Amino acid sequence: MYKNLTLMTDFYELTMMQAYFLSGKGGSQWAVFDMFYRENPGGSSYAVMAGLAQAVEYIKNIKFYNEDIEYLKSTGIFDGSFLDALRKIKFTGDIHAVPEGTVVFPGEPLLRVKAPIMEAQLVETAVLNIINHQSLIATKAARVTWASQGDVVLEFGLRRAQGPDAGVYGARAAMIGGCHATSNTLAGKLFDVPVRGTHAHSWIMSFEHEIDAFRKYAEIYPRGCILLVDTYDTLRSGVPNAIKVFNEMREKGLDMRGHGIRLDSGDISYLSKKARQMLDDAGFNEAVISASNDLDEYLIADLKAQGAMPTVWGVGTNLITSQGYPAFGGVYKLAAESSDGVDWQPKIKLSENPAKMTNPGIKKIFRLYDGSSGKIKADLITLEDETIDASKDLTIFDPNATWKRMTLKGGEYTARELLEPVFAGGDCVYEPIPEMEIREYAIRERGTLWDEHKRLTNPHVLPVDLSQKLYDLKQEMIRGGMR
């Protein structure tokens, strides 16, 4: 499904690139940019990194074709020598990134780009677009699947997504976030993920009688036969007719594994309890009850608390659009610059809003785990030349409230560096990972969170601290910049 996305950039990226070029910085000036976000989506205490594979594909395939150059020429903005330079441009720098499926937190670099400044500037918009979108949907899916308490969650959102790409890559992200299957057939083909689907009300309505529709569907699809029971009257027609058809299937000795019903309207809690009783009384204790209809993590959690009986949840609109929190606020900020790619000078963005101040310099992230439980204790952002010896005590502190300190005892914690190489000297060193493997990794990642961090409402916030060296550099640059 790859398309050339080189021109999928904000116009000011190109005008800045020309300004770098014409001012003499285009050939020698290097820069480091961090992609990070400031606030977790939807009241979550964490987010799920997603979209890296597509960002890599975009960067690998950067190329300005003749028609692109002609279009830019037609704007009357660009110098001919700059357009000639664009014909030859490709990415030649280094990129480090947090692996897809990793749980991440505000302020820490998800992606670190070190490259000639024109190249580093060019990739900003597309990288943000791709990773912001997929991380948003993956995070929403993680919350939905947590609320389901181990039940099957199906992504059903294609028809409500904001366009084909949002539907396809949103489905990919939802799978990374923990969904078990998608209704999106193209996503199933592209990413080799499971696809699921049964029938709509139109199938029932195309027959004169509901039971005839059920019988014919069961005849064609005896295994995994899920019947939609709310077209006319769920409890007086739909469920009784489904039970009749299941009895007929059983009498014929058909393979009925995965059989059941779907509820798509009404009070899911009440109807599912009544339907469960009716199915059990008829001897169909193994029959699945699935539910759909404007579900999200909060409604699923409420239904579970009420004893609702579905064990399969089809979640569409509210998942694929991340309803309630429609954007992931990833940003891309300059952290260091160099005139030769060797001698680096840290850079900081100051603001009257403290939350918008950036962390200067070339940085790493260390994840610190409790040695006995394997749960995350904190993340520590350090400068590139720093290391952690987990055999020694480590004291960390809240950079916004420095009196809040925690000492991790040597030998009682472990440290993992999160940023991994993706491009080195322009060569892609990223190895594609099958989406279902990313999904399993993401599930294990969420297992490293304490239960308090997973709450849907008012979760505990995990510490993301700065090393003493980075904190001191930041304070020094703030004081210098405010003189």
Side-chain angles (χ1 to χ4, degrees):
M1 195 179 172
Y2 175 74
K3 324 185 262 290
N4 184 270
L5 301 178
T6 305
L7 281 187
M8 193 185 80
T9 186
D10 291 310
F11 195 64
Y12 81 167
E13 309 286 15
L14 294 166
T15 59
M16 279 192 290
M17 289 171 67
Q18 175 167 258
Y20 292 136
F21 180 82
L22 296 178
S23 65
K25 293 185 174 185
S28 60
Q29 190 81 13
W30 280 62
V32 170
F33 283 85
D34 293 334
M35 186 215 159
F36 62 95
Y37 71 103
R38 296 189 178 106
E39 183 179 349
N40 286 312
S44 179
S45 76
Y46 67 93
V48 177
M49 168 67 169
L52 179 60
Q54 284 67 50
V56 167
E57 282 301 305
Y58 154 73
I59 293 168
K60 282 170 58 178
N61 291 282
I62 287 173
K63 180 177 175 58
F64 287 89
Y65 289 91
N66 288 335
E67 57 267 32
D68 301 328
I69 300 297
E70 289 303 312
Y71 167 71
L72 294 176
K73 183 178 179 180
S74 74
T75 67
I77 298 293
F78 299 105
D79 182 85
S81 61
F82 172 67
L83 293 176
D84 286 341
L86 287 187
R87 295 180 188 274
K88 304 172 186 176
I89 199 168
K90 65 176 184 176
F91 188 79
T92 63
D94 302 335
I95 296 179
H96 287 72
V98 174
E100 285 195 271
T102 304
V103 293
V104 291
F105 305 95
E108 50 194 32
L110 309 185
L111 198 82
R112 189 184 76 201
V113 178
K114 180 192 289 186
I117 196 164
M118 285 174 54
E119 299 170 23
Q121 199 73 68
L122 174 61
V123 304
E124 173 181 3
T125 302
V127 163
L128 286 173
N129 174 276
I130 294 166
I131 293 179
N132 277 341
H133 172 243
Q134 291 200 42
S135 297
L136 178 72
I137 305 304
T139 305
K140 185 74 167 182
R143 289 166 59 81
V144 170
T145 54
W146 181 84
S148 76
Q149 299 178 25
D151 290 346
V152 172
V153 176
L154 309 177
E155 186 278 310
F156 276 0
L158 178 57
R159 63 188 61 192
R160 304 286 170 77
Q162 284 97 342
D165 282 354
V168 169
Y169 293 111
R172 176 185 188 271
M175 293 299 299
I176 289 173
C179 288
H180 296 75
T182 176
S183 68
N184 189 323
T185 310
L186 181 56
K189 175 187 174 184
L190 290 174
F191 309 123
D192 193 23
V193 298
V195 291
R196 292 274 290 273
T198 54
H199 62 80
H201 296 100
S202 56
W203 168 261
I204 309 297
M205 295 163 64
S206 71
F207 289 80
E208 184 174 358
H209 300 291
E210 181 181 58
I211 195 166
D212 295 334
F214 286 176
R215 282 177 173 141
K216 180 55 68 174
Y217 194 81
E219 177 187 326
I220 298 170
Y221 304 108
R223 184 172 176 178
C225 178
I226 302 292
L227 301 176
L228 182 59
V229 295
D230 70 335
T231 304
Y232 302 117
D233 189 303
T234 299
L235 298 181
R236 290 189 289 183
S237 173
V239 176
N241 280 331
I243 289 171
K244 288 179 184 177
V245 171
F246 293 154
N247 274 316
E248 293 168 1
M249 294 173 68
R250 186 162 56 188
E251 289 170 2
K252 294 176 182 177
L254 295 175
D255 182 352
M256 296 178 61
R257 281 177 286 178
H259 71 290
I261 64 171
R262 177 161 73 97
L263 303 171
D264 191 49
S265 62
D267 186 327
I268 298 297
S269 179
Y270 172 77
L271 292 174
S272 66
K273 292 174 189 175
K274 289 294 186 181
R276 179 77 274 159
Q277 182 178 354
M278 294 166 71
L279 289 164
D280 289 351
D281 289 347
F284 296 103
N285 305 75
E286 301 300 318
V288 171
I289 298 179
S290 62
S292 48
N293 187 31
D294 292 331
L295 298 171
D296 64 10
E297 65 267 45
Y298 297 104
L299 182 52
I300 291 174
D302 283 349
L303 289 168
K304 295 290 288 185
Q306 295 165 26
M309 300 308 297
T311 55
V312 177
W313 306 87
V315 188
T317 304
N318 293 331
L319 172 53
I320 204 67
T321 65
S322 187
Q323 189 158 348
Y325 202 94
F328 192 87
V331 295
Y332 187 87
K333 299 298 181 183
L334 182 67
E337 65 177 2
S338 169
S339 60
D340 57 9
V342 177
D343 183 23
W344 290 94
Q345 300 299 314
K347 306 295 286 187
I348 188 170
K349 177 184 180 292
L350 300 180
S351 173
E352 292 184 3
N353 181 351
K356 291 198 170 185
M357 289 187 182
T358 60
N359 293 317
I362 306 174
K363 296 174 291 295
K364 300 191 292 192
I365 315 164
F366 286 97
R367 178 149 295 167
L368 307 174
Y369 298 92
D370 178 72
S372 58
S373 68
K375 304 291 187 183
I376 304 172
K377 296 288 288 184
D379 277 2
L380 186 67
I381 306 175
T382 74
L383 291 172
E384 186 181 34
D385 61 356
E386 295 187 78
T387 60
I388 290 179
D389 183 350
S391 68
K392 298 179 180 178
D393 289 0
L394 175 66
T395 298
I396 58 178
F397 59 91
D398 184 338
N400 298 312
T402 56
W403 63 90
K404 295 182 179 179
R405 293 175 174 262
M406 173 170 56
T407 297
L408 305 178
K409 295 294 184 181
E412 296 182 3
Y413 71 96
T414 59
R416 169 194 171 201
E417 190 174 338
L418 291 188
L419 289 170
E420 298 181 353
V422 175
F423 282 85
D427 294 328
C428 180
V429 296
Y430 172 82
E431 293 291 337
I433 302 171
E435 275 70 16
M436 293 305 286
E437 288 186 23
I438 300 174
R439 175 184 179 274
E440 293 307 310
Y441 165 73
I443 291 171
R444 293 194 302 272
E445 273 287 288
R446 293 199 298 281
T448 65
L449 293 169
W450 304 85
D451 288 344
E452 293 84 351
H453 296 133
K454 301 176 188 178
R455 287 196 299 261
L456 297 180
T457 304
N458 296 325
H460 185 70
V461 177
L462 188 134
V464 177
D465 296 341
L466 306 183
S467 69
Q468 186 70 58
K469 188 174 180 180
L470 176 54
Y471 177 82
D472 290 344
L473 173 64
K474 183 174 184 178
Q475 296 307 308
E476 178 185 347
M477 295 187 73
I478 290 172
R479 289 191 295 270
M482 292 184 172
R483 287 173 186 159

